Amino acid sequence: MATPTPQTAPTGGLRERKKQRTRDALIRAALELFTEQGYDATTVDEIAEVVDVSQRTYFRYFANKEDVAFAVQEMVEARFLEELSARPAAEAPLTALRSAVMVAWDEIGSAIESVIPLELHMRSYQMIESTPALVAVHLRRSSELEEQIARLIARREGLDVDTDPRPRVLVAAFSGVMRVAGKVWGEGQDCSVASIRELTESYLDHIGPAIADDWRSHP
Amino acid sequence: MATPTPQTAPTGGLRERKKQRTRDALIRAALELFTEQGYDATTVDEIAEVVDVSQRTYFRYFANKEDVAFAVQEMVEARFLEELSARPAAEAPLTALRSAVMVAWDEIGSAIESVIPLELHMRSYQMIESTPALVAVHLRRSSELEEQIARLIARREGLDVDTDPRPRVLVAAFSGVMRVAGKVWGEGQDCSVASIRELTESYLDHIGPAIADDWRSHP
DNA sequence: TTGTCAATTGTCAGCGACTGACATTAGCCT
DNA sequence: AGGCTAATGTCAGTCGCTGACAATTGACAA
């Protein structure tokens, strides 16, 4: 109580660095095992053994077996939110979302590399999309992110999310499209960053026309 | 091999009726326990005990603890798909989706009552929305439904889902909006069927305007 | 009715995810 | 060096879930 708020050493301590290393090692080991032998065929004990820690320690870093698969995604999402907050207020909502995604895709690469090889991350993404248990978690996480995005958009436009349905509706539509783009990408061959960037861009361009009623007159 | 395909009695057998009764009893018991004490606080053994069957038998009817919570939803979804297939080809895609939802909402009530009280189903829906593990499963199920809907829409319009992105994009946007409507309803007070019907209708009306760029000029 | 066949269920053993409790180790700070 | 506390290991136990095998029970023909 009387301590000057020591607060677990800001950054410099050996302890902190060691913890970070263990965490990164767990992520790397987990993703490697998941992508090689499959998620279900991998046990938490295996992951812990590779990193040479006890199973109990794994569960002190990650709440469950699934969470470790999304540790990198979490970084990406945080990056996207930052980018969205930084978009000029003059941009229309959908435009701001689109721009933020594009900028984020260009910048996250290096951030990811600091934890795991980018190629491993790409393979992990596809692994998630083809593992029912992880698809479910991924969707839930996405919907939580949507709520945050909706609130950001509402703030930009000076609206209240609980009164005006447009922020949530727009974000719901936007996210749905993003998800489909990611899914289609995962099913395709080209697993490069450029590929998903293009696909995303193309799909976002279709959102307007798809809502319009007369598909037959605009083929 | 030489048998004239007996195939587990079409409908009339005592065996079939008994199975159906057990299944319904499991659903009812599970939903009652889930809504009363919470999903996590309920064990599969408890559910089985109420129905007076072994835990093993429960798992012969449902693949896991989560599935039983969505047994009724499954009926509703099947009903919606039927309704959508029956919409006249002249209707525009988004219009057909909207109409199918509305008609489905008006008709499923009685079908649900044949298994569990409608009020229990409504409470279950809110229970699902407030249980992270179930939210995840719900979203995954929804996304699988989306794929089916997209293919239906594509067929209506004579398109190929793998070539033309519009069916999936539209359905993604549509489903996102539906989900938000359901979520907002779950958080509100009025848990009647009429209430969710109206909310859905209203939210679907906003999808067009929300995509448009100039929110500030149309408050 | 009775006996045979197949479907349903119960029992049991066991794995893997996860958690609380407590002992042990190891960075940190004076 | 020595005490403090955070991080880790160990252990026991619960719960979800599954395979294997035995017991029961409806279905159907002789």
Side-chain angles (χ1 to χ4, degrees), chain A residues 4-58:
Chain A
T5 327
Q7 202 141 315
T8 62
T11 51
L14 192 160
R15 240 179 196 158
E16 286 304 307
R17 271 179 289 131
K18 207 166 183 179
K19 258 176 40 175
Q20 192 58 49
R21 264 194 293 129
T22 308
R23 193 185 141 85
D24 289 355
L26 281 171
I27 295 173
R28 189 193 195 102
L31 294 184
E32 232 132 44
L33 288 171
F34 288 167
T35 53
E36 273 167 31
Q37 30 178 301
Y39 177 78
D40 295 319
T42 305
T43 67
V44 173
D45 293 82
E46 279 183 276
I47 302 171
E49 200 179 7
V50 171
V51 184
D52 204 57
V53 294
S54 70
Q55 189 214 48
R56 194 66 182 82
T57 293
Y58 168 92

Side-chain angles (χ1 to χ4, degrees), chain B residues 15 19 54 56-57 60-61:
Chain B
R15 237 175 197 160
K19 257 176 37 174
S54 70
R56 194 64 181 86
T57 292
R60 287 205 175 94
Y61 281 90

